[in-house]
Amino acid sequence: MEAPHTQAAETAVTVTIDSPERMQDLGRRIASVLRPGDLVLLTGELGAGKTTLTRGLGEGLGVRGAVTSPTFVIARVHPSLVGGPALVHVDAYRLGGGLDEMEDLDLDVSLPESVVVVEWGDGKVEDLSEDRLHVVIARAVGHEEVLDDVREVSLRGVGARWGADQLKGLAEPTV
């Protein structure tokens, strides 16, 4: 008898980020709780800070190579320098299809031993894992000159992997 399908649990927090340096710091904090097999989906308009956040993830994971936008290569693998998981950084912006088109990248093969971060992945790669972290970056609304660097970052954990305590700790900036 097939077990009934249960809706994946979700937890969420929102944090205000006021500079690219703080965005990178948030990436380092997120990296501190990541482990092999984690899937992170990044959403935000062009220039929102997705790659800056991923740069912080790379620093926190201790990976090799400069983390830059993989827009033209689609995916870039950054091996660990410290014995941790590799960072697989994917930019799905130019990929129109869903998981079928993403299969050519073999993300399902990379996922168990890596941390896979997919920019523009919403609606394309959710089926890779029942447990995933969605990060949505939005510019703060207000006077453009004052709030140009201010972002509202929503961290939404889906599945048993992401508990409320874990996400709450990520929203607290380091001093």
Side-chain angles (χ1 to χ4, degrees):
M1 179 175 202
E2 189 174 321
H5 179 69
T6 57
Q7 177 100 12
E10 291 189 20
T11 55
V13 298
T14 299
V15 59
T16 300
I17 301 295
D18 62 4
S19 70
E21 295 78 21
R22 295 238 187 232
M23 185 67 77
Q24 219 163 318
D25 179 59
L26 177 61
R28 286 188 292 271
R29 290 197 313 268
I30 293 170
S32 73
V33 299
L34 293 176
R35 61 185 185 208
D38 281 342
L39 175 63
V40 180
L41 304 180
L42 301 180
T43 301
E45 63 188 34
L46 290 171
K50 297 178 298 297
T51 300
T52 301
L53 180 83
T54 306
R55 192 170 297 121
L57 289 172
E59 288 176 9
L61 291 171
V63 300
R64 184 180 76 213
V67 174
T68 59
S69 178
T71 299
F72 296 104
V73 295
I74 310 287
R76 198 174 261 131
V77 177
H78 298 275
S80 176
L81 295 171
V82 296
L87 172 66
V88 178
H89 185 196
V90 179
D91 187 329
Y93 183 75
R94 295 186 307 140
L95 301 178
L99 195 56
D100 291 340
E101 190 172 356
M102 297 297 284
E103 280 182 2
D104 290 339
L105 299 176
D106 286 332
L107 294 181
D108 54 338
V109 173
S110 300
L111 188 58
E113 69 272 357
S114 305
V115 169
V116 175
V117 176
V118 183
E119 295 187 26
W120 307 97
D122 279 347
K124 297 178 181 175
V125 298
E126 286 87 346
D127 289 340
L128 284 174
S129 178
E130 288 183 19
D131 297 309
R132 57 196 174 274
L133 180 63
H134 290 256
V135 180
V136 178
I137 305 170
R139 292 182 192 271
V141 178
H143 190 266
E144 291 301 318
E145 291 176 32
V146 176
L147 299 178
D148 189 46
D149 285 337
V150 178
R151 306 288 190 265
E152 294 295 323
V153 182
S154 170
L155 306 167
R156 181 173 53 95
V158 177
R161 162 79 176 93
W162 297 100
D165 290 340
Q166 202 169 34
L167 290 180
K168 182 182 176 197
L170 296 177
E172 298 167 4
T174 56
V175 182

